Amino acid sequence: MIKLEGITKSFGSLQVLKGIDLEIDKGEVISIVGPSGAGKTTLLQIMGTLDAPDEGTVFIEQTNLSRMKEKELSAFRNKHIGFVFQFHQLLPEFTAVENVMIPAFIAGTSTKEATARAMEILEFMGLTDRASHKPNELSGGEKQRVAVARALINQPTVILADEPSGSLDTHNKEELHQLFFDLRNRFGQTFVIVTHDEGLARITDRTIYMIDGEIRKE
Ligand SMILES: Nc1ncnc2c1ncn2[C@@H]1O[C@H](COP(=O)(O)OP(=O)(O)O)[C@@H](O)[C@H]1O
Ligand SMILES: [Mg+2]
């Protein structure tokens, strides 16, 4: 599903990734843990084609992404990869359902179809009655679930999440983590989650430890 081979990345004289090899199967929920500055975010960004490696190859679903040009890459990303960040990054002037629909519009989906799909996902998340609210009228947990819904709208095969529960309280955190597993069980999606949360790391299928730009042990 996802295969990284010999990924290196430097920022100036600082080598942040020192040759990462990693294979992730379809439907796996894996966590990436490690100290701040270990290179976790950089690795996730490269996995998601938001950044390019200096060396090495990224394959998603047998497609070699290193050979793609930017335009092709952004179309691939929009269709196959969903992102969830620590801070929801919802657009404040749009309602929850409109925020969820945006990636579908980018993919050329009609308003009717995008609305139907967005409402279906929001319903699955128990957010039907929040759909017409703007982000500032939603709780932290609700905002993050709307951000997950937005990541799902184009039915991507891979969801990449960077400390998605980092800004949530315990209750909302647990609810969000359960949601990841519910989604995997229902839609078979693959989740790669960078986290500092030990509780989450413990329940994922596999935990990858990163230290100083390398994978130490699994
Ligand atoms: N765009 C950038 N320019 C320069 N240095 C960067 C950039 N992005 C990350 N770094 C540096 O790379 C190292 C790893 O960062 P990051 O991947 O964000 O680690 P983590 O997510 O594990 O905390 C850090 O020392 C960080 O300061
Ligand atoms: Mg980070």
Side-chain angles (χ1 to χ4, degrees), residues 40-41 162-163:
K40 305 182 297 298
T41 292
D162 198 353
E163 302 189 30

Side-chain angles (χ1 to χ4, degrees), residues 64-99:
N64 183 342
L65 302 181
S66 322
R67 299 231 180 91
M68 282 191 187
K69 300 220 164 56
E70 187 45 48
K71 207 174 155 197
E72 234 184 320
L73 210 50
S74 55
F76 183 91
R77 196 187 301 138
N78 178 258
K79 186 157 182 273
H80 294 274
I81 308 171
F83 294 93
V84 182
F85 303 97
Q86 177 172 0
F87 300 101
H88 55 83
Q89 299 185 346
L90 300 176
L91 299 175
E93 64 273 35
F94 291 97
T95 64
V97 67
E98 287 164 349
N99 268 283

